[in-house]
Amino acid sequence: MARTIVTQSLLAILCSCLLAGAQAAAPTPQNLTLPEAVREALEKNPTVQAADAYAKAVHEGIAEARAARMPRVDFSEGFTRGNNPVYVFGALLTQRQFTANDFALDSLNTPRPLNNFRTQFSAALSLYDGGQTGRRIKDAKLSEQGAGEMGQRTRQELIFNVVKSYTDELLARENARVAEAAVKTAQSDLHRAQARQDEGQAVPSDLLSAQVQMAQSQEDLLQAQNAADLAHAALNVAMGLPEDAATMIEPGLKEASFDAGPLADRQQQALKMRPDLREAGLGVEHALNGQRTARAEFLPKVNAFSSWEEDNQTFLARGGNNWTVGASLNFNIFDGWANRARLAAARFRQAQAQAQLAQMTAAVKLQVREAYLNLTTAQQRVDVSRQAQSQAEESLRIIQNRYEAGLATITDLLQVESAHTSAQKNYLNALFDYRLSYAALELATGELAPDSASVTH
């Protein structure tokens, strides 16, 4: 019995040590700053990985296009058996096995079945194709540049998404803090109303009003906490992490100051920096190159070719071998006006690309104007809501004193408390909109990056 007690004690001590060690080894989540969240997203988000994979795939197209300037070498191994007179006669010649006896009429008309193992190496080289290979190489390079611009724009949009998700969580947690304070205030009001009713200094409706306010505050707190949890999951997904990852962000939605500069300067910056606009410009070059490629179809093509083969009656035996070299000139005389139609289509595609570039240029300028005006409005809202919050705090202080002195009703107090809570939320929303509006402006101008002001401030 004593041995059993000792054994159980030792096991308990061992388990306690292991549990303490595990708890000590568990890392404590560190507060994640916005720049750190952006870097995490650029490393792990699948959208960036997909864009990088696409850019690498497009890059291989350059080597594929350049391969047309190199000789093409093929190897083939074939087996044939038959008694077709023409086949037997030709096969015997290529095998270097033809004899005088094979001129006999019986051998010529009804030859015995013959095996032929044919080993061949062939090579071909384009000497002149009217510049089509060069045009295909340029197309591949333009596609690579376009993929690079698209990847850069993808990163900018991801950064904006992370900024929005991060600020969303900041706002949600601040709203939850305000809701918690409102619940505590409602509890105090409820206790005072209960005490006054017990003392005969208040009517039952005062207590009912306090209870209604308490229930509403609790409901608002539940919704705020739910919004904070959803915002946290959205930020994790934006960073390329599991939605339930144990991450923490820096608390507090603080004021910031951003310099928007003149609108005209921002628009000119966008015309230079926007990756998707540069990609549209590459589309015009691509269409022009396609037009030149279609025009090259009217030019002749010169190719060189060669082959070497060995023909045997058995797979391992040595037989006859032969070689061929030559060159060919191909010039289309009439193709039903197909080349002319391709050239006309290429011209229309160039006109389409130019129109799309002009339309996108106008759209980019409009996007910058919209983001700029939204930022200006958001900045003004911050000033207005800050003042309103200060006024609401002072109004609440006054009405609380009047209520304690019996000079105000509980209805007056609850209304002012609700107004104070609304003023706090309006101020937080204004801060959120101001930060996000500047990030949207940097996105519209193509300047959004990991070290941008909307990320580091």
Side-chain angles (χ1 to χ4, degrees):
M1 183 66 178
R3 181 179 299 175
T4 302
I5 294 175
V6 171
T7 302
Q8 291 177 349
S9 300
L10 291 175
L11 289 175
I13 294 172
L14 179 60
C15 291
S16 299
C17 293
L18 291 176
L19 181 60
Q23 291 176 346
T28 302
Q30 299 295 321
N31 288 343
L32 194 67
T33 64
L34 179 53
E36 291 171 345
V38 168
R39 288 195 295 270
E40 187 83 7
L42 292 176
E43 291 176 2
K44 297 182 179 180
N45 191 283
T47 305
V48 174
Q49 296 173 356
D52 290 342
Y54 175 74
K56 292 176 182 178
V58 172
H59 174 73
E60 296 300 323
I62 299 177
E64 180 183 358
R66 284 175 176 164
R69 288 178 172 171
M70 304 294 291
R72 177 186 174 93
V73 180
D74 294 293
F75 167 79
S76 64
E77 179 71 35
F79 169 75
T80 309
R81 177 179 174 82
N83 66 349
N84 182 283
V86 176
Y87 158 73
V88 173
F89 187 86
L92 287 172
L93 287 176
T94 55
Q95 293 174 0
R96 302 292 196 266
Q97 300 295 324
F98 198 88
T99 63
N101 294 331
D102 294 314
F103 279 112
L105 293 179
D106 289 343
S107 298
L108 289 173
N109 291 326
T110 57
R112 292 179 299 175
L114 182 69
N115 295 337
N116 186 53
F117 290 88
R118 183 170 177 263
T119 303
Q120 184 182 51
F121 290 91
S122 60
L125 177 65
S126 175
L127 301 179
Y128 178 74
D129 62 358
Q132 288 186 330
T133 298
R135 296 300 171 192
R136 284 192 289 269
I137 294 174
K138 185 173 182 179
D139 271 345
K141 291 181 177 179
L142 290 173
S143 296
E144 182 188 32
Q145 294 177 24
E149 300 293 354
M150 186 179 69
Q152 185 176 351
R153 188 59 179 176
T154 298
R155 283 170 169 77
Q156 291 181 350
E157 291 174 349
L158 176 61
I159 293 173
F160 179 79
N161 188 28
V162 173
V163 171
K164 181 179 182 301
S165 299
Y166 192 97
T167 315
D168 267 339
E169 184 172 352
L170 286 177
L171 175 63
R173 298 201 177 281
E174 287 297 310
N175 282 332
R177 179 186 58 79
V178 171
E180 289 175 357
V183 168
K184 293 179 181 179
T185 301
Q187 287 175 340
S188 299
D189 293 340
L190 182 60
H191 292 157
R192 282 198 297 265
Q194 182 69 57
R196 287 196 173 191
Q197 181 172 328
D198 293 342
E199 296 171 359
Q201 298 178 0
V203 295
S205 60
D206 289 353
L207 180 59
L208 292 175
S209 297
Q211 290 173 340
V212 171
Q213 181 79 354
M214 180 65 186
Q216 183 63 52
S217 299
Q218 289 176 332
E219 181 180 348
D220 293 342
L221 176 58
L222 291 174
Q223 292 179 349
Q225 290 172 340
N226 181 66
D229 291 339
L230 290 176
H232 178 73
L235 177 60
N236 282 336
V237 172
M239 291 189 296
L241 302 176
E243 61 183 36
D244 56 350
T247 56
M248 296 177 60
I249 64 173
E250 288 190 332
L253 184 58
K254 303 178 181 64
E255 285 197 20
S257 179
F258 301 107
D259 182 15
L263 173 59
D265 292 348
R266 287 288 187 173
Q267 289 179 326
Q268 290 301 317
Q269 188 74 2
L271 298 182
K272 296 177 182 178
M273 298 289 293
R274 277 284 288 263
D276 48 347
L277 189 59
R278 291 200 297 258
E279 185 183 6
L282 292 173
V284 175
E285 292 188 46
H286 202 292
L288 179 60
N289 190 60
Q291 182 179 342
R292 292 170 178 169
T293 301
R295 190 178 292 115
E297 291 287 346
F298 293 94
L299 299 176
K301 298 176 180 60
V302 180
N303 298 293
F305 58 88
S306 65
S307 67
W308 176 90
E309 70 175 77
E310 186 177 59
D311 297 88
N312 311 301
Q313 292 188 19
T314 61
F315 182 71
L316 298 178
R318 296 178 58 85
N321 63 81
N322 58 83
W323 54 267
T324 304
V325 295
S328 65
L329 170 67
N330 181 38
F331 187 82
N332 177 257
I333 298 176
F334 180 72
D335 64 353
W337 296 287
N339 286 338
R340 188 172 68 177
R342 277 192 289 269
L343 179 58
R347 289 171 177 166
F348 286 123
R349 280 193 288 270
Q350 183 184 1
Q352 177 191 17
Q354 289 174 335
Q356 289 175 339
L357 177 60
Q359 189 276 334
M360 189 170 184
T361 300
V364 166
K365 294 180 68 176
L366 179 60
Q367 290 171 8
V368 174
R369 178 179 292 274
E370 180 181 4
Y372 188 91
L373 295 178
N374 288 341
L375 177 64
T376 303
T377 302
Q379 186 175 15
Q380 294 171 349
R381 285 179 53 210
V382 170
D383 297 334
V384 172
S385 61
R386 185 194 307 111
Q387 183 178 2
Q389 179 181 239
S390 177
Q391 293 169 346
E393 289 177 355
E394 179 62 17
S395 177
L396 178 60
R397 184 189 66 80
I398 293 174
I399 201 67
Q400 284 176 338
N401 292 337
R402 288 176 60 84
Y403 179 73
E404 292 295 338
L407 301 177
T409 66
I410 193 170
T411 302
D412 297 331
L413 177 63
L414 296 180
Q415 288 177 347
V416 173
E417 287 175 349
S418 297
H420 177 253
T421 300
S422 297
Q424 287 181 300
K425 291 182 178 179
N426 289 339
Y427 175 64
L428 292 172
N429 288 331
L431 292 180
F432 170 82
D433 290 341
Y434 181 57
R435 284 184 169 274
L436 197 62
S437 295
Y438 190 76
L441 178 61
E442 289 191 318
L443 179 65
T445 58
E447 300 172 279
L448 192 57
D451 57 351
S452 296
S454 58
V455 178
T456 58
H457 283 56

